[in-house]
Amino acid sequence: MKPMFQELPFPVDSHIHYYIEDLPHFIVPWHYHPAIEIM
C-alpha cells in the first residue's frame, strides 16, 4: 500500500494550526504532507 498525499486546509508556511476530530477510533489512512503532525 502506498501512502497518499494529503492536501492541508491551511498554508504550510504559517505558524501553528490545529484540527480536532472526535471519532470513536483512528480511521486516518496512511498519508504524508509537508507539515509536522502530532497525534
Side-chain angles (χ1 to χ4, degrees):
M1 175 185 243
K2 295 173 73 174
M4 64 178 203
F5 180 75
Q6 182 181 26
E7 281 290 331
L8 299 174
F10 48 82
V12 177
D13 60 347
S14 297
H15 295 287
I16 296 174
H17 294 273
Y18 68 93
Y19 173 75
I20 298 173
E21 190 166 346
D22 188 16
L23 299 171
H25 49 71
F26 186 73
I27 63 168
V28 178
W30 193 25
H31 66 281
Y32 66 97
H33 42 70
I36 294 173
E37 183 173 11
I38 298 173
M39 311 221 36

